[in-house]
Amino acid sequence: MRLSAADTLEIIDRCLKVNGKAFVVTYPDEPICSIEDGKLVTLVFRGGCGCTLTQWEPEEVEGYFM
């Protein structure tokens, strides 16, 4: 299932909530860092090179409700 622009994203107790319901992300397959300006932010560590933060629009996020 793909999210829509109208969905509200939040992180509670290290879990992603979409419109108040627990949501398991299947894409992107990167560790979730935070939510900024309604976008999902993921964090990827690069060996010895630091890290990369990527922002994802809700329409790019796929997964399923628990």
Side-chain angles (χ1 to χ4, degrees), residues 8-12 15-21 34-35 40:
T8 303
L9 307 178
E10 59 185 336
I11 295 179
I12 299 176
C15 294
L16 179 65
K17 303 278 184 174
V18 176
N19 302 326
K21 299 178 192 170
S34 65
I35 304 294
L40 181 70

Side-chain angles (χ1 to χ4, degrees), residues 1 23-30 61-64:
M1 151 176 213
F23 189 81
V24 177
V25 177
T26 57
Y27 179 83
D29 188 22
E30 300 173 359
V61 179
E62 297 179 12
Y64 57 92

Side-chain angles (χ1 to χ4, degrees), residues 16-59:
L16 179 65
K17 303 278 184 174
V18 176
N19 302 326
K21 299 178 192 170
F23 189 81
V24 177
V25 177
T26 57
Y27 179 83
D29 188 22
E30 300 173 359
I32 296 172
C33 179
S34 65
I35 304 294
E36 292 181 12
D37 299 324
K39 298 177 185 177
L40 181 70
V41 179
T42 60
L43 175 69
V44 177
F45 289 99
R46 307 285 179 206
C49 299
C51 64
T52 301
L53 292 172
T54 306
Q55 290 189 344
W56 303 86
E57 295 288 342
E59 301 89 29

